[in-house]
Amino acid sequence: MQFMKNIIFIGGIHGVGKGTICKELASNTTISHITASEILKWNEISDSDNKFVANISTTQERLINGLKNLIKKDKQYLLDGHFCLLNSEGFPIRIDEVTFDKINPKAIAIVIDDIEKISKRLEKRDGKIYDIKILNELQQMEIEYAKYLSKKYSVPYIEIQDGNYTKLIEII
């Protein structure tokens, strides 16, 4: 099962500002904003202070099933989520391509920022200090994977930096 190219996937590491940008876009357009965390009911499957994912493939199946119940053919969606996650050992790992095959994105966008800024946001938000090296590796892996997926699906690739999402607005 594939969705109808009505989802713009917006990725980026935890604390980079995906949700903020998506909320702004949704409030100024007719596009709907949904988060992978809400669909997954993240609070049911993970501790709130833990960004590690024990079973990534199970969570992605849960995401796709949740999307099946939510997505309507005649609407456009911003889905904010991740291209990569930290596995149960705390190392970055790509989300299986099959997930993105099923999402069938209309465009791929990635929010990127200075790792030091992200680290400070996460510390303030989660009350936890994250390894800068791991955060940097995760962000670089997300960028590379987002570019790869954009080419694979022949869809636009958009980098959002410093809150500038004008290229994304052009696609919407």
Side-chain angles (χ1 to χ4, degrees), residues 13-16 113-133 135:
I13 69 173
H14 297 284
V16 76
D113 204 347
D114 176 74
I115 292 298
E116 295 285 337
K117 287 183 191 172
I118 295 168
S119 176
K120 284 183 175 79
R121 267 187 232 128
L122 286 171
E123 186 178 347
K124 186 177 179 182
R125 184 183 82 185
D126 300 347
K128 185 176 175 184
I129 296 172
Y130 291 88
D131 184 322
I132 297 284
K133 186 177 156 218
L135 290 177

Side-chain angles (χ1 to χ4, degrees), residues 100-159:
F100 295 100
D101 292 345
K102 291 176 182 175
I103 289 172
N104 192 25
K106 173 183 176 177
I108 299 274
I110 186 160
V111 182
I112 54 180
D113 204 347
D114 176 74
I115 292 298
E116 295 285 337
K117 287 183 191 172
I118 295 168
S119 176
K120 284 183 175 79
R121 267 187 232 128
L122 286 171
E123 186 178 347
K124 186 177 179 182
R125 184 183 82 185
D126 300 347
K128 185 176 175 184
I129 296 172
Y130 291 88
D131 184 322
I132 297 284
K133 186 177 156 218
I134 296 287
L135 290 177
N136 190 53
E137 187 181 336
L138 182 60
Q139 181 163 262
Q140 291 308 310
M141 186 183 280
E142 285 233 340
I143 292 167
E144 289 168 20
Y145 196 31
K147 287 178 181 177
Y148 164 79
L149 292 169
S150 164
K151 285 182 185 150
K152 176 181 178 179
Y153 304 123
S154 299
V155 298
Y157 167 81
I158 299 140
E159 280 188 8

Side-chain angles (χ1 to χ4, degrees), residues 62-76:
R62 188 172 174 150
L63 174 65
I64 295 302
N65 288 331
L67 287 171
K68 285 178 190 174
N69 296 324
L70 186 67
I71 300 296
K72 295 181 177 39
K73 291 177 185 171
D74 59 340
K75 286 191 77 173
Q76 295 281 330

